[in-house]
Amino acid sequence: MNPLLLYINWDPNPEFFNIFGISVRYYGLLWAVGIFFAYLIVRYQYRDKGISEKKFDPLFFYCFFGILIGSRLGHCLFYEPAYYLANPLEIFLPIKFLPGGGWKFTGYAGLASHGGTLGLIIALWLYVRKVKMNYMDVLDMIAVATPITACFIRLANLMNSEIIGKVTNVPWAFIFERVDLNPRHPAQLYEAIAYFIFFLIHMFLYKHYSKKLHRGFFFGLCLTLIFTFRFFIEFIKIDQVDFEATMTLNMGQWLSMPFVIIGVGCMLAGKYFDKLNPPIKR
């Protein structure tokens, strides 16, 4: 028997459909679906808390651009700083300049979740200054929805055959045919499943215990769960950039640790946040 048949051969067409030369790819589509679900969940929370629609309306704008800009800058500056500092226009434009002159469209090939998280935190700080809301209240509401978006982003990575795992012989291994013929851990799928479970935990706690939990709890729990899992899943992923081969812990693990510390701190400091921050303004 061919040993390759024991594993899952994975080589989907990354393009969902093409109409009149316009390509719609699974990557962008799954990103959009994840953000759409987060939009619905956060909107539900605003209505549940009796917060006016006018305060909710600009939130999507801040979140979308905060995540996109932060993710892009995070990848460029954390993972490939030498290249992008030498080619700064490629940070902001979805193109790659060719050695012999000219350019080609590549899309934004490189987005880092750590940078996206930091970008979102900064964007929400700007948002609350505009709408005069409590910062921790907004962070908590976004945190409830964040894991479902993270789930769809990792499914997008799976469709692109990127962020793959190390070689393994487990029976559910994937052979990413666009990479090589080695059976590998489907690390993207592991993360997607974990983030979906985290989302269910958040929703259960919100529905049954939100009035009993202190400010900052959901934000802290989200950071702690996601980045603790991210720290450990990195052990079965291949290195994203060459310089990680010389590191005891890779870049993703080093970047995850501060977020875990912040997350635990927010959960422990709930009573302090309750006293420091004024009641939510409706």
Side-chain angles (χ1 to χ4, degrees):
M1 178 182 289
N2 186 343
L4 296 182
L5 297 178
L6 297 175
Y7 306 116
I8 299 169
N9 289 278
W10 188 255
D11 188 27
N13 185 345
E15 186 177 83
F16 182 55
F17 66 83
N18 189 304
I19 183 168
F20 303 120
I22 300 175
S23 175
V24 176
R25 300 169 68 89
Y26 282 103
Y27 187 81
L29 181 63
L30 287 166
W31 259 81
V33 171
I35 291 174
F36 175 70
F37 274 112
Y39 171 89
L40 294 179
I41 295 159
V42 176
R43 186 171 189 175
Y44 160 75
Q45 292 178 85
Y46 267 63
R47 291 179 173 178
D48 184 51
K49 296 176 184 295
I51 306 170
S52 71
E53 198 78 12
K54 290 183 179 179
K55 291 183 181 291
F56 176 76
D57 289 340
L59 181 62
F60 176 80
F61 172 86
Y62 282 89
C63 290
F64 179 82
F65 285 100
I67 293 170
L68 180 62
I69 294 171
S71 297
R72 183 62 179 159
L73 289 176
H75 173 81
C76 296
L77 300 180
F78 293 151
Y79 289 95
E80 298 183 78
Y83 176 82
Y84 283 105
L85 290 176
N87 301 274
L89 286 178
E90 292 186 21
I91 297 177
F92 305 102
L93 301 177
I95 62 175
K96 183 176 183 65
F97 292 102
L98 303 176
W103 57 273
K104 69 175 182 178
F105 177 82
T106 58
Y108 289 109
L111 300 171
S113 59
H114 300 88
T117 302
L118 186 58
L120 177 61
I121 291 172
I122 294 171
L124 291 177
W125 178 77
L126 297 173
Y127 164 77
V128 299
R129 286 172 60 88
K130 176 179 176 62
V131 301
K132 309 302 180 186
M133 284 182 65
N134 182 287
Y135 186 47
M136 290 308 302
D137 286 334
V138 175
L139 286 178
D140 278 337
M141 288 187 283
I142 295 294
V144 172
T146 293
I148 194 64
T149 303
C151 170
F152 278 97
I153 290 173
R154 281 299 180 248
L155 292 176
N157 297 136
L158 180 65
M159 296 303 295
N160 262 11
S161 297
E162 60 190 6
I163 314 182
I164 61 176
K166 294 179 178 178
V167 174
T168 181
N169 60 2
V170 296
W172 58 85
F174 278 44
I175 296 176
F176 296 96
E177 295 184 10
R178 274 183 282 160
V179 179
D180 54 32
L181 294 180
N182 294 316
R184 297 179 177 276
H185 283 290
Q188 321 95 317
L189 190 56
Y190 297 164
E191 287 193 75
I193 294 170
Y195 298 155
F196 182 71
I197 293 171
F198 297 162
F199 167 69
L200 295 179
I201 292 171
H202 277 72
M203 287 302 299
F204 175 82
L205 292 174
Y206 178 81
K207 292 287 290 183
H208 297 281
Y209 299 99
S210 60
K211 294 181 180 179
K212 299 178 181 179
L213 296 170
H214 295 288
R215 277 196 176 106
F217 176 83
F218 285 106
F219 176 62
L221 180 65
C222 180
L223 291 183
T224 303
L225 288 177
I226 287 179
F227 288 105
T228 298
F229 187 83
R230 177 68 188 273
F231 179 89
F232 288 106
I233 197 71
E234 291 294 324
F235 285 113
I236 63 169
K237 288 183 184 177
I238 64 170
D239 295 331
Q240 293 191 50
V241 287
D242 292 339
F243 69 77
E244 290 183 302
T246 62
M247 302 170 67
T248 303
L249 300 176
N250 66 24
M251 181 60 73
Q253 291 170 314
W254 283 111
L255 294 173
S256 293
M257 287 190 284
F259 286 110
V260 174
I261 293 170
I262 292 170
V264 173
C266 285
M267 287 191 289
L268 296 177
K271 290 184 179 179
Y272 171 77
F273 290 138
D274 287 344
K275 294 177 180 178
L276 179 65
N277 297 325
I280 194 166
K281 294 183 178 181
R282 294 176 168 83

